[in-house]
């Protein structure tokens, strides 16, 4: 039988168990704990009534409030879709020449373009848009979009046009197109050496020569300009800025003269919608090398059609 008694020092009744002279006091729970326990029970009952809680065969009880996490997620997704639709409609109405006039819209376009770039462009230009300089073993030649070296122009309109129509896209008449002719069999080895000397001399990497300058004027100046500065209307690169798409060593320049590589960029106008292309143009323009328009119409209502 239990041998309960009152502990004299504490005045608390024991539970009646004893082990090796040690007894356990039947100390009551603190009132604050009992109140907390009771309130938790009341809260649980109210929660079960108001919110989905009890699992049934096919679904949980709905709760009198009609709330569910699935329903809340659907509302949030609908709100996000609506905001995206509103932004897309607003962006579609703004001519790309006017996009920088609205800094908030421009920031949203850049953010959207960054996401589109990671999906569509990193395979060639890299995640940081730094491109890939070609080597003798890996002839890629994807341009760096972070610098200010542009073959066809670096303002928003020019970038948008390049994205829409691509570069050297076969079967598309509006594509950007330029073609470096092959001089293999046209120039003698000694002439190629002098020509490479002249090209390297434009960036102070070799001594200029009259023969090389004459060869350049005869064979190269029509596209690249007399000073080697290039021509954007033809997509001819600037040879005097030490930025090389296919490498700037003597051997790489010589190869490009004799057996030129002409890369191709797909036209995205048939794959992406106009708003996404506009966002991509805004992102590429924001990378650091984007250029301003030479002229912008004074009337903001006028859609500017800058030549690219």
């Amino acid at each position: 039988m239990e041998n309960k008694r009152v502990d004299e020092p504490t005045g608390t009744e024991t539970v009646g168990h004893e082990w090796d002279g040690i007894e356990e006091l039947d100390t009551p729970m603190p009132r604050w704990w009992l109140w907390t326990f009771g309130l938790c029970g009341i809260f649980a009952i109210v929660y079960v009534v108001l919110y989905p809680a009890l699992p049934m065969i096919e679904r949980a009880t709905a709760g009198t409030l009609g709330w569910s996490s699935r329903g809340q997620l659907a509302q949030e997704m609908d709100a996000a879709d609506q905001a995206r639709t509103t932004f897309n409609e607003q962006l579609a109405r703004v001519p790309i020449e006017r996009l920088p006039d609205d800094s908030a819209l421009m920031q949203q376009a850049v953010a959207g373009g960054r996401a589109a770039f990671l999906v569509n462009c990193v395979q060639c230009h890299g995640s940081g848009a730094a491109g890939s300089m070609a080597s003798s073993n890996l002839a890629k030649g994807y341009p760096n979009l972070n610098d200010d070296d542009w073959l066809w122009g670096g303002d928003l309109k020019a970038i948008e046009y390049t994205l829409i129509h691509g570069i050297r896209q076969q079967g598309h008449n509006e594509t950007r197109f330029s073609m470096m002719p092959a001089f293999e069999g046209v120039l003698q080895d000694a002439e190629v050496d002098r020509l490479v000397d002249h090209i390297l001399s434009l960036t102070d990497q070799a001594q200029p020569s009259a023969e090389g300058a004459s060869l350049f004027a005869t064979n190269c100046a029509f596209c690249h300009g007399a000073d080697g500065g290039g021509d954007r209307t033809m997509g001819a690169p600037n040879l005097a800025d030490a930025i090389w798409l296919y490498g700037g060593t003597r051997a790489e320049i010589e190869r490009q003269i004799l057996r030129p590589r002409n890369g191709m960029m797909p036209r995205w106008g048939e794959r992406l919608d106009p708003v996404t292309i506009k966002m991509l143009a805004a992102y590429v323009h924001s990378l650091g090398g984007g250029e301003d328009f030479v002229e912008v119409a004074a009337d903001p209502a006028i859609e500017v059609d800058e030549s690219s």
Side-chain angles (χ1 to χ4, degrees), residues 20-197:
D20 198 19
I22 299 174
E23 296 178 291
E24 182 181 357
L25 300 180
D26 189 11
T27 304
M29 300 295 293
R31 287 186 178 275
W32 67 265
W33 193 95
L34 294 174
W35 277 105
T36 301
F37 181 79
L39 291 174
C40 287
I42 295 173
F43 174 82
I45 294 173
V46 174
Y47 186 93
V48 169
V49 173
L50 296 179
Y51 294 96
L54 300 178
M56 307 296 285
I57 296 178
E58 295 183 355
R59 63 179 63 86
T61 54
T64 57
L65 293 181
W67 177 92
S68 69
S69 59
R70 188 182 298 273
Q72 180 178 347
L73 175 62
Q75 292 177 357
E76 293 175 353
M77 292 180 65
D78 289 342
D81 290 340
Q82 182 61 40
R84 189 180 302 110
T85 300
T86 302
F87 164 70
N88 288 348
E89 291 175 350
Q90 185 180 4
L91 186 59
R93 290 193 300 267
V94 177
I96 196 167
E97 299 90 341
R98 295 297 174 192
L99 189 54
D101 296 344
D102 189 333
S103 59
L105 190 63
M106 181 68 173
Q107 290 178 359
Q108 287 182 284
V110 169
R114 181 183 296 108
F117 187 91
L118 292 175
V119 174
N120 300 287
C121 310
V122 297
Q123 295 86 348
C124 295
H125 295 283
S127 58
S132 176
M133 296 301 295
S135 67
S136 56
N137 296 322
L138 191 63
K140 291 183 177 179
Y142 302 125
N144 181 2
L145 303 179
N146 296 286
D147 58 24
D148 57 358
D149 192 63
W150 301 93
L151 289 178
W152 302 96
D155 61 52
L156 282 167
K157 187 72 173 179
I159 296 172
E160 181 188 43
Y161 188 95
T162 300
L163 286 167
I164 293 173
H165 300 292
I167 298 174
R168 304 182 188 93
Q169 177 70 68
Q170 294 183 358
H172 183 57
N173 294 331
E174 297 181 77
T175 190
R176 304 279 201 191
F177 189 85
S178 63
M179 183 64 67
M180 168 79 177
F183 285 90
E184 190 171 31
V186 177
L187 299 177
Q188 302 296 322
D189 292 344
E191 292 177 320
V192 173
D193 287 339
R194 300 291 76 76
L195 184 56
V196 173
D197 285 338

